[in-house]
Amino acid sequence: MEDDNAVLFDVEGRTGAVTLNRPAALNALTHSMVMRIDEALTAWERDPAIAQVLIRGAGERGLCAGGDIRAIHEDARVGGGASAGFWRDEYRLNARIARFPKPYVAVMDGLVMGGGVGVSAHGSVRVVTERSRVAMPETGIGFVPDVGGTYLLALAPGELGTHLALTGAVVGAADAVLCGLADHFVPSDGLAGLVAGLSVAPVREVLERYAAVPPAGVLAERRGWIDACYAGDSVEVIVERLLAHGDPAAKEAGATILAKSPTAVKVTLAALRRAASLGPLERVLEQEYRVSCNALGSADLVEGIRAQVIDKDRAPRWSPGTLGEVTEADVARYFTPLGADELRLPDAAPGAGSGHA
């Protein structure tokens, strides 16, 4: 019964509403939640009475803090295949959201991380608040940004996406908009009115009443050193530039990267650079699936989740332990084709997706 209530569906006027309903788990996604959201989108896409879709999170803490990484930890620890099945359907859902033919409104209030980005930032209308905390923090658990995260971050201005991907930095509303992860800022005290308005009016009309200018972020003024330090395809060079820079924030970023899984940050940089030339989202998701499945066999994924989530000692023992010990062959292994198990997504139909409002 608990799983049945983990995601709720309502029709409010002409809006189909999805509510992620695991507030005690920060609305973390399970496989069954992904499948049920996909079923609802199928029904609403075909229903002429539904003009737009809304996704939101229950509770006060956030939309979604990601996938259920405790389940991924157990699966990776015993060498199972459940995570691969979850990712296959999750990434299909991410692609579907990006191509959904009706406005898909994501309320990205509070924490929006990992899989939470996947069910929101590919939508056509992405709303952040002053409470929004958006991130792709995978390198901290020995993993690599997925759910189309490398696609989104590769499109961010300059090297902002590289900075967010390698450090796992959390950004607020203005910086999420700057990086292309969100579109509109609505103060949190206006969310109830925004949602109520969607039941009776198109999202573009409702946004005119509630959208505002977000509080200033920090990334715009840091573009100089970010773009200079993160250019190139070597994590070692990036870290060296950051640590040598005069800005304390640059040095902090360098130290942050050194604390992440050395293998994960090298694979992440390679995945980002490849994503930039792969073309549409579908091709990038296929690459991410390959990388994610190959990561299941890595010691760092099990160790990273143990340190951050299971034991919470925040002291992961990465293997290899330094950037210099991670070879090109180690990185290349993550991109090894999966043969018959590859994810293959159909090309988007011409004109698919409703565009950002």
Side-chain angles (χ1 to χ4, degrees), residues 29 31 67-88 90-91 143 289 292-303 305-306 310:
L29 292 171
H31 198 164
D68 190 340
I69 59 174
R70 286 178 177 271
I72 294 171
H73 176 267
E74 181 61 21
D75 188 46
R77 195 178 64 81
V78 302
S83 296
F86 168 60
W87 289 325
R88 181 178 293 273
E90 184 183 24
Y91 300 176
F143 197 47
Y289 184 74
S292 295
C293 288
N294 286 322
L296 271 179
S298 74
D300 276 6
L301 178 59
V302 174
E303 173 62 9
I305 298 176
R306 179 207 65 76
I310 308 299

Side-chain angles (χ1 to χ4, degrees), residues 131-146:
R131 302 186 301 206
S132 294
R133 299 292 180 268
V134 184
M136 294 298 293
E138 286 77 9
T139 56
I141 58 167
F143 197 47
V144 177
D146 65 336

Side-chain angles (χ1 to χ4, degrees), residues 292-350:
S292 295
C293 288
N294 286 322
L296 271 179
S298 74
D300 276 6
L301 178 59
V302 174
E303 173 62 9
I305 298 176
R306 179 207 65 76
Q308 299 297 335
V309 179
I310 308 299
D311 297 337
K312 299 183 180 179
D313 59 26
R314 307 293 193 268
R317 295 178 292 275
W318 305 122
S319 179
T322 66
L323 290 169
E325 294 175 276
V326 181
T327 68
E328 290 184 10
D330 292 332
V331 174
R333 183 182 69 78
Y334 283 76
F335 298 90
T336 302
L338 304 175
D341 294 327
E342 291 275 14
L343 176 64
R344 292 182 173 86
L345 296 170
D347 292 331

Side-chain angles (χ1 to χ4, degrees), residues 18-341:
V18 179
T19 304
L20 306 181
N21 189 41
R22 299 181 69 207
L26 289 170
N27 298 321
L29 292 171
T30 65
H31 198 164
S32 66
M33 290 168 70
V34 165
M35 299 305 292
R36 294 183 65 210
I37 294 169
D38 186 69
E39 290 170 3
L41 292 183
T42 296
W44 289 338
E45 181 176 343
R46 298 170 179 170
D47 188 347
I50 300 297
Q52 55 206 5
V53 169
L54 166 73
I55 188 166
R56 59 195 172 191
E60 297 296 319
R61 299 168 68 192
L63 170 66
C64 174
D68 190 340
I69 59 174
R70 286 178 177 271
I72 294 171
H73 176 267
E74 181 61 21
D75 188 46
R77 195 178 64 81
V78 302
S83 296
F86 168 60
W87 289 325
R88 181 178 293 273
D89 290 322
E90 184 183 24
Y91 300 176
R92 283 174 172 161
L93 178 62
N94 301 147
R96 178 171 201 175
I97 289 168
R99 309 306 182 197
F100 199 68
K102 299 176 182 180
Y104 181 101
V105 185
V107 177
M108 301 171 69
D109 186 36
L111 287 175
V112 186
M113 298 185 177
V117 172
V119 296
S120 60
H122 297 297
S124 53
V125 185
R126 306 162 304 172
V127 175
V128 283
T129 76
E130 77 282 358
R131 302 186 301 206
S132 294
R133 299 292 180 268
V134 184
M136 294 298 293
E138 286 77 9
T139 56
I141 58 167
F143 197 47
V144 177
D146 65 336
V147 298
T150 60
Y151 174 82
L152 294 166
L153 294 176
L155 290 174
E159 295 295 333
L160 291 178
T162 312
H163 171 63
L164 297 188
L166 297 187
T167 64
V170 178
V171 298
D175 288 333
V177 173
L178 173 64
C179 292
L181 301 174
D183 307 299
H184 306 281
F185 171 76
V186 173
S188 58
D189 60 9
L191 288 180
L194 174 75
V195 171
L198 291 176
S199 66
V200 295
V203 62
R204 291 178 186 275
E205 292 182 16
V206 181
L207 277 171
E208 289 178 0
R209 299 199 295 270
Y210 292 97
V213 177
V218 300
L219 291 182
E221 64 182 29
R222 297 177 179 177
R223 275 290 300 279
W225 64 258
I226 287 175
D227 288 353
C229 293
Y230 284 95
D233 299 331
S234 166
V235 177
E236 288 93 335
V237 170
I238 288 171
V239 170
E240 181 180 342
R241 291 171 181 162
L242 290 168
L243 295 178
H245 199 279
D247 192 312
K251 295 181 186 296
E252 182 181 352
T256 296
I257 294 170
L258 287 177
K260 307 299 184 185
S261 159
T263 303
V265 294
K266 283 200 167 185
V267 175
T268 294
L269 183 61
L272 266 182
R273 298 305 189 235
R274 293 181 183 213
S277 60
L278 280 175
L281 171 63
E282 287 78 7
R283 302 293 83 77
V284 180
L285 284 166
E286 291 166 352
Q287 172 178 272
E288 289 181 350
Y289 184 74
R290 187 180 294 169
V291 171
S292 295
C293 288
N294 286 322
L296 271 179
S298 74
D300 276 6
L301 178 59
V302 174
E303 173 62 9
I305 298 176
R306 179 207 65 76
Q308 299 297 335
V309 179
I310 308 299
D311 297 337
K312 299 183 180 179
D313 59 26
R314 307 293 193 268
R317 295 178 292 275
W318 305 122
S319 179
T322 66
L323 290 169
E325 294 175 276
V326 181
T327 68
E328 290 184 10
D330 292 332
V331 174
R333 183 182 69 78
Y334 283 76
F335 298 90
T336 302
L338 304 175
D341 294 327

